[in-house]
Amino acid sequence: MQDTDSQINQATVPRHIAIIMDGNGRWALRQNKARTFGHKAGVNALKQTIESCASYGVDVLTVFAFSSENWLRPKQEVDVLMGLFMLTLKNQANKLHKNNIRLKIIGDRSRFSTALQGKITEVEALTSNNTSMTLVIAANYGGQWDISQALKRLAKHAKETNKSVDDFDINDFLSTAGLPEPDLFIRTGGEQRISNFLLWQIAYSELYFTDVLWPDFDKNELRTAIMSYSTRQRRFGHTSEQISAGAIK
Ligand code: IPE
Ligand code: IPE
Ligand code: MG
C-alpha cells in the first residue's frame, strides 16, 4: 500500500535508506531504567520504521542492529541483545512474509549461537522470494570486515577460475551484492560518526544526523529526514549545471 503523504513527493523517496539506530541506552537511562529497556523500545521503533518505509515505497531498508565492536559491552547487555534478536525474528517472520518483505542479514554470523544462525537461515529462506521491500539487518557487522571478506573471497575466486583479480568487481563480493547503494544514510542519537557501518557503500549517500534517540524515531522523524534528502542536489562529481541539464537520469 502506497502512502499518499502529501508532503512527500514519491519521485524523491530514496530507493535505499540505511539507518544507524543509536540512542537506546541513553533513552532508557533518562527514565531511570536499565539500558536494555531501551533496546526493547528500539525494536518497536524498528517495526514502525519498517512499516513507514514500506508505505513510502522504499525498496531497501538497511539497519545497523549490532556492530562487530558491540561484543565489548557488558555480557549481560550482549545477552539481552542476542535474545531480542532471536525473539524478534521468531515473532516477526510471518508478518514480514505476509507483507511481502524479504529479509537479509549481513555480518559475520559465525559468532552467533547455533540456534540463532538456524533461525536466520530459516527466515531468510521463508522470505527469499518476496518483492515489496528488502529489509537488511546488519548484525555482527563491520564495514571493515565487509571489505576485507570481499577482497579475500574475490582473490580466492580469481585463483580458482584462473583469472585476474582485475576481472572482478568488489561490489559483487560485498555482503550487499545485488543491492543498490544507500541514497539516504540516517544516524539517530546525536553522534556524527559512522561507527564502522557501511563504509564502501556510502561513498555517495546523503548523510542525515538527528539528535532524536532511536526509540523516539517515528514516521514524522522519517518524513523529516526524507524531506531533507529531497532538497539536496546529488552531483556524483558533476557540476551543478550538468545536473540541471540532465546529466544524471
Ligand atoms: C544502539 O543504542 C543499539 C546498539 C548499539 C545495539 P545504544 O545502546 O548504543 O544506545 P546509547 O548510544 O548508549 O544511548
Ligand atoms: C553503532 O552504535 C552500532 C549500532 C547502532 C548497532 P554504537 O553506540 O555502538 O556506536 P559508538 O560506539 O557510539 O560509536
Ligand atoms: Mg550508542
Side-chain angles (χ1 to χ4, degrees):
M1 185 190 62
Q2 295 277 310
D3 192 311
T4 47
D5 193 317
S6 58
Q7 286 176 286
I8 299 275
N9 169 2
Q10 287 297 324
T12 56
V13 168
R15 188 168 169 214
H16 183 173
I17 299 180
I19 308 181
I20 298 186
M21 308 184 288
D22 195 23
N24 294 347
R26 280 163 286 163
W27 183 87
L29 292 177
R30 278 183 198 175
Q31 302 168 61
N32 290 316
K33 299 254 173 60
R35 291 177 52 83
T36 48
F37 182 74
H39 295 315
K40 287 173 195 150
V43 174
N44 287 329
L46 174 57
K47 285 196 250 173
Q48 276 190 51
T49 302
I50 295 168
E51 282 175 23
S52 306
C53 284
S55 75
Y56 281 137
V58 169
D59 280 345
V60 185
L61 169 65
T62 300
V63 294
F64 204 8
F66 191 87
S67 79
S68 45
E69 289 73 37
N70 287 148
W71 297 105
L72 297 169
R73 295 187 175 200
K75 183 175 182 303
Q76 188 263 347
E77 181 168 342
V78 171
D79 288 348
V80 168
L81 285 166
M82 291 300 140
L84 264 181
F85 190 18
M86 184 71 168
L87 189 70
T88 308
L89 284 176
K90 276 186 185 160
N91 291 344
Q92 300 302 313
N94 287 334
K95 189 174 169 200
L96 289 174
H97 189 43
K98 202 177 86 220
N99 290 328
N100 198 18
I101 296 174
R102 175 169 74 125
L103 180 73
K104 189 176 158 61
I105 308 292
I106 58 170
D108 179 3
R109 54 181 84 171
S110 67
R111 200 166 162 182
F112 296 146
S113 70
T114 316
L116 182 53
Q117 290 186 45
K119 193 72 199 169
I120 289 172
T121 309
E122 183 192 314
V123 184
E124 283 185 331
L126 172 74
T127 62
S128 64
N129 294 320
N130 291 345
T131 52
S132 83
M133 186 172 88
T134 298
L135 170 65
V136 183
I137 298 183
N140 192 19
Y141 180 88
Q144 293 177 338
W145 164 84
D146 201 0
I147 295 168
S148 115
Q149 69 78 27
L151 295 180
K152 286 180 204 159
R153 288 199 301 126
L154 189 157
K156 188 162 175 267
H157 187 68
K159 199 171 172 199
E160 283 167 1
T161 53
N162 259 328
K163 289 187 172 165
S164 155
V165 289
D166 294 328
D167 294 332
F168 300 99
D169 184 344
I170 292 175
N171 284 298
D172 296 334
F173 292 85
L174 289 167
S175 59
T176 48
L179 298 171
E181 289 185 345
D183 301 296
L184 172 61
F185 176 101
I186 299 173
R187 181 173 188 144
T188 64
E191 313 297 351
Q192 304 200 357
R193 54 177 175 253
I194 307 298
S195 300
N196 201 14
F197 191 27
L198 307 164
L199 294 177
W200 178 277
Q201 297 90 338
I202 60 163
Y204 269 105
S205 303
E206 295 298 328
L207 307 181
Y208 178 87
F209 298 97
T210 170
D211 289 338
V212 170
L213 302 173
W214 176 250
D216 290 330
F217 193 85
D218 59 11
K219 190 166 190 182
N220 284 331
E221 299 298 338
L222 179 69
R223 185 191 298 110
T224 307
I226 295 178
M227 300 274 281
S228 164
Y229 168 83
S230 69
T231 64
R232 317 231 185 137
Q233 185 187 52
R234 304 182 75 189
R235 291 193 280 276
F236 299 97
H238 293 86
T239 65
S240 200
E241 293 72 19
Q242 285 176 302
I243 301 298
S244 304
I248 298 173
K249 294 289 173 282

